Amino acid sequence: MPVDEALTALRIDGERFRADFEALAGIGATGDGGVHRPALSEPHLEARAWFRERVTAAGLRFHTDGAGNHSAVLACGPAGAPTLLLGSHLDSVPYGGRFDGPLGVLAALEALRMVQEAGVSLSVHLEAIDFTDEEGTLFGELGSTALAGTLTAEALRESRGGRATLEAGLARAGLTEAGLLTARRDPASLAGYLELHIEQGPRLADAQVDIGVVTGIVGMASYRLAFVGRADHAGTTSMADRRDAGLGASAFALAAREVVIDDFPGCVANVGDMRFAPGAFNIIPAQVALALEFRAPEPALFRRLEEVLMERARAEAQRFGLGLEVERLGWLDPAPMSKVAQRAFVEAADALGLRHVSLFSGAGHDAQSLASLCPVGMIFVPSVGGASHSPREFTRWADCVNGANVLLQAALRMAIDGARP
Ligand SMILES: [Zn+2]
């Protein structure tokens, strides 16, 4: 991938980038280094208004869509050329950190400003995008699934934050459910999507590596399982005669761990909640509703894990004389990152003299939703101590600048050579 010499010398403006980062970290600040900006809450809308102001102040075109995604657009390609998206999200988990999301949005904005100031023409247009509700306060990866066209009216009815939260959030932001479904983009209009993010784990920091080039994002499934037995007197029913839903659910939780450890390398399973009903000292549990999530790095393994876990749930239910009800609540396929994007990141890191390693993401990101739409790529920068979704989240500023420069240089490589694999 040969790159124009003037462009290989381009670096982001570290001071402007830092001033933006610190101004943004002050919106919804919790006073302990963290921020509280759940999607479409007042502080989140304030952060978005601030971003919009920065976009117009830079002389870039501001764009928003039916899902409330906010963008800066730089028309630096020929008429009718596709757009290369760069971005992340400005929302946070409740009482989260200040790096998760904003780093990628501000690096994207800074990349557009540098290309604009250099006055160069590329083969694509550039767009720095802030996706709505990546963290799933209302609905996980809301803005990016809307843009990818995979968001459905049915899925919105089961929004994981609950209907009332979704409706209130949309109303605050002046959005509608019908509008959400209009945000879909034509794949032909996009050259790709690149995202800079903090690692949210300790691997890069421990290995003292500057950049992690993501090879793929884990698939995630969530299920509600109900083990159904019979309520009886806990004192007068013999141990042999009980149909105890608590035993089936507990046996399944232990079995899920064993199955993954023994037969599914690289996968994880989590039983995050069990609700006992009626739930009393002296009544044998009639029903237990169990929240199961599992993740796998590749499609065949993911489906096999699903099969084996469901078989095990049925077997444990049978063993304790129970019924079993199964409800699938969420399914996101594992998403491989584009080879072209990975190569652009590797070449950019090499050119900048940065150490890099390829790694897999066990956490979900907007890049995952977009993988069905266009070539996507992602890099991580080191998280000190691996902390994330916490005010303790911290990335050294030099690492933030490195990440932004790799993003800029990888975008230029894709913008010059054309992103289609
Ligand atoms: Zn994030």
Side-chain angles (χ1 to χ4, degrees):
M1 279 191 186
V3 179
D4 207 78
E5 270 182 31
L7 293 181
T8 51
L10 218 52
R11 300 288 180 274
I12 60 123
D13 179 336
E15 273 179 36
R16 181 171 59 187
F17 182 37
R18 184 161 206 166
D20 275 354
F21 184 84
E22 282 172 1
L24 180 55
I27 303 174
T30 48
D32 51 4
V35 294
H36 179 69
R37 287 201 302 256
L40 308 185
S41 65
E42 289 304 333
H44 177 235
L45 296 178
E46 196 187 320
R48 294 192 123 182
W50 174 88
F51 177 67
R52 180 174 188 156
E53 187 275 316
R54 294 303 290 153
V55 170
T56 48
L60 296 162
R61 186 165 68 81
F62 176 78
H63 174 76
T64 185
D65 63 18
N69 297 312
H70 278 37
S71 301
V73 180
L74 178 64
C76 50
T83 296
L84 178 63
L85 297 170
L86 312 174
S88 197
H89 59 94
L90 295 184
D91 67 307
S92 78
V93 295
Y95 305 97
R98 64 194 188 279
F99 293 86
D100 176 356
L103 183 66
V105 175
L106 295 180
L109 175 63
E110 184 55 30
L112 262 64
R113 287 191 295 223
M114 292 318 297
V115 172
Q116 183 184 40
E117 286 164 16
V120 290
S121 295
L122 303 173
S123 65
V124 298
H125 305 300
L126 293 177
E127 178 174 337
I129 188 162
D130 157 33
F131 286 112
T132 302
D133 197 16
E134 191 273 347
E135 298 290 6
T137 300
L138 315 165
F139 187 98
E141 298 177 16
L142 179 67
S144 53
T145 52
L147 194 137
T150 53
L151 183 69
T152 61
E154 298 76 63
L156 283 171
R157 278 197 282 278
E158 314 247 302
S159 74
R160 77 181 213 179
R163 286 293 305 174
T165 315
L166 177 69
E167 283 164 11
L170 293 179
R172 256 195 313 277
L175 299 170
T176 64
E177 277 184 64
L180 288 173
L181 303 174
T182 65
R184 184 180 187 282
R185 299 245 192 133
D186 177 1
S189 71
L190 296 174
Y193 171 67
L194 302 180
E195 178 167 353
L196 161 66
H197 204 277
I198 56 164
E199 185 196 351
Q200 305 180 279
R203 290 172 295 178
L204 295 175
D206 287 354
Q208 300 191 317
V209 171
D210 305 307
I211 301 289
V213 178
V214 179
T215 55
I217 300 176
V218 80
M220 286 181 282
S222 44
Y223 272 83
R224 180 85 58 195
L225 302 181
F227 289 83
V228 184
R230 193 179 60 211
D232 275 309
H233 194 295
T236 59
T237 314
S238 79
M239 292 306 279
D241 288 336
R242 297 174 185 227
R243 287 169 54 198
D244 183 336
L247 296 179
S250 304
F252 171 73
L254 293 171
R257 176 177 187 273
E258 187 185 285
V259 157
V260 171
I261 290 175
D262 290 352
D263 298 322
F264 290 88
C267 298
V268 290
N270 183 50
V271 173
D273 192 27
M274 282 197 214
R275 302 274 162 102
F276 283 63
F281 286 100
N282 54 3
I283 309 173
I284 294 163
Q287 181 159 337
V288 176
L290 175 155
L292 169 71
E293 188 197 75
F294 54 92
R295 307 184 183 211
E298 51 103 0
L301 201 62
F302 194 28
R303 284 192 295 272
R304 178 80 193 124
L305 177 58
E306 179 194 32
E307 246 172 64
V308 170
L309 287 173
M310 293 307 121
E311 260 167 39
R312 248 343 242 275
R314 282 190 292 273
E316 297 301 345
Q318 202 172 19
R319 179 176 155 206
F320 293 98
L322 308 171
L324 179 72
E325 292 164 10
V326 176
E327 193 185 358
R328 186 155 107 171
L329 294 176
W331 184 274
L332 267 175
D333 280 322
M337 298 294 102
S338 140
K339 292 270 190 278
V340 174
Q342 290 182 56
R343 197 167 68 235
F345 281 132
V346 163
E347 289 182 4
D350 281 339
L352 289 157
L354 299 171
R355 283 158 299 179
H356 55 85
V357 68
S358 291
L359 45 70
F360 198 81
S361 175
H365 295 286
D366 288 312
Q368 187 166 24
S369 312
L370 299 179
S372 60
L373 184 70
C374 61
V376 294
M378 201 167 178
I379 48 166
F380 290 156
V381 286
S383 294
V384 174
S388 185
H389 286 188
S390 149
R392 290 182 293 109
E393 192 174 273
F394 182 72
T395 293
R396 287 188 191 87
W397 189 249
D399 288 323
C400 296
V401 171
N402 286 342
N405 277 321
V406 173
L407 181 77
L408 169 64
Q409 284 299 321
L412 290 172
R413 277 166 169 76
M414 288 189 57
I416 289 168
D417 297 339
R420 291 278 162 197

